[in-house]
Amino acid sequence: MRASLIQIAVDPDESVEARRQRAASLVVAQRDSDLVVLPELWPVGAFAYTVFEEEAEPFRGPTHEVMAKAAAEAGVWLHAGSFVERAPDGTLYNTTLVFAPDGGRSAVYRKIHRFGFDKGEAVMMGAGEELVTVALPQTTLGLATCYDLRFPEQFRGLVDAGAETLVVAAGWPERRRAHWTLLAQARAVENQAYVLAVGTAGTHADIAQAGHSIVVDPWGEVLAEAGSDEEILTVEFDPAKVGATREQFPALKDRRLGLAPPS
């Protein structure tokens, strides 16, 4: 399976619409990939809280339209990162869309763990409530966004729901880049799954972004890692390695805590 992670730079001097069209062009250029992934809140920037209200979109807004078209033109599965969604009741959400190769929408995930403690996303946005997986022909994706990476129970729930490849779209800050790499490897090892984690590049809202998108295999080995600048990280991996790893080293079968009681 071939995946391309688009580590797009969020430049405050580039308009949201211009970046939306540029991102679509980058997606279309990945026609040789099976799966393409964009980062968190790339239209506006994950830390650009002051423009969330202004740039919020309805569910079927311009980002949905442009990304659906790009997926269909490229003929790829597209994890379109996330955007600021405004629900009909006015609530804002950090929302991910996944599109099939024909451009049809396959999944929607609203970020569960909101970052900011008592400011920013944590107080401006509603929290998602559902774990989301997406069945591709080659593997089943489990969806997470940025701060979710710090909550292992979410990923264990995704694995229990059948996930074999954990996809994390992020806008992770440079000052905590060491955590980014460590946590991506930890989630891979403890769940015996691939982790595809893509972040943004550049600086927005005066916050330097970590970049360093990363692909980790079920043994915790780093298959590929980007640098700090805008980059497309493409990697080929074998989805069958998940099952083989879980069979060779069946740690998940030895779980004692957090299991649903027998019916």
Side-chain angles (χ1 to χ4, degrees):
M1 184 172 179
R2 184 180 177 93
S4 290
L5 282 57
I6 300 179
Q7 183 173 285
I8 195 167
V10 179
D11 182 344
D13 294 328
E14 181 182 39
S15 72
V16 170
E17 178 56 25
R19 186 157 48 253
R20 192 180 285 125
Q21 295 300 326
R22 187 165 66 85
S25 296
L26 292 172
V27 170
V28 171
Q30 311 312 308
R31 288 186 178 91
D32 292 336
S33 292
D34 301 296
L35 171 67
V36 179
V37 187
L38 283 160
E40 178 190 28
L41 296 177
W42 56 268
V44 296
F47 288 90
Y49 306 135
T50 58
V51 300
F52 281 4
E53 281 283 352
E54 177 186 351
E55 298 292 350
E57 307 174 36
F59 180 73
R60 290 182 175 274
T63 295
H64 186 294
E65 179 181 357
V66 170
M67 291 294 106
K69 182 178 178 181
E73 189 171 345
V76 298
W77 287 90
L78 173 61
H79 179 304
S82 71
F83 70 103
V84 182
E85 176 201 357
R86 188 188 304 280
D89 66 0
T91 303
L92 302 185
Y93 291 98
N94 189 335
T95 300
T96 288
L97 303 172
V98 178
F99 296 95
D102 64 359
R105 190 180 68 252
S106 293
V108 179
Y109 168 64
R110 286 172 168 171
K111 185 178 180 182
I112 292 172
H113 300 97
R114 298 159 298 167
F115 180 72
F117 308 110
D118 58 353
K119 60 184 179 181
E121 180 186 44
V123 296
M124 295 180 68
M125 291 182 159
E129 298 179 350
E130 296 182 2
L131 297 177
V132 178
T133 61
V134 188
L136 275 59
Q138 307 95 325
T139 187
T140 296
L141 308 181
L143 308 187
T145 304
C146 203
Y147 193 42
D148 288 336
L149 189 60
R150 293 185 179 274
F151 298 88
E153 62 274 20
Q154 176 168 344
F155 292 82
R156 188 49 57 84
L158 290 168
V159 167
D160 286 345
E164 299 164 320
T165 300
L166 304 167
V167 182
V168 184
W172 202 275
E174 166 60 28
R175 61 177 174 262
R176 290 187 289 276
R177 178 161 65 85
H179 293 184
W180 166 253
T181 305
L182 174 67
L183 291 168
Q185 289 183 273
R187 298 294 86 86
V189 170
E190 69 194 7
N191 294 297
Q192 299 181 308
Y194 284 100
V195 169
L196 278 57
V198 56
T200 48
T203 298
H204 56 85
D206 296 322
I207 304 292
Q209 297 298 286
H212 285 266
S213 299
I214 191 169
V215 177
V216 187
D217 81 0
W219 285 101
E221 295 294 325
V222 175
L223 300 184
E225 184 175 359
S228 300
D229 298 327
E230 180 163 307
E231 182 177 343
I232 297 175
L233 184 68
T234 298
V235 63
E236 293 189 4
F237 64 98
D238 180 8
K241 190 172 184 178
V242 173
T245 300
R246 293 174 181 178
E247 184 66 28
Q248 293 165 12
F249 193 82
L252 292 174
K253 295 180 181 178
D254 289 335
R255 292 169 58 197
R256 300 286 293 168
L257 303 176
L259 296 172
S263 56

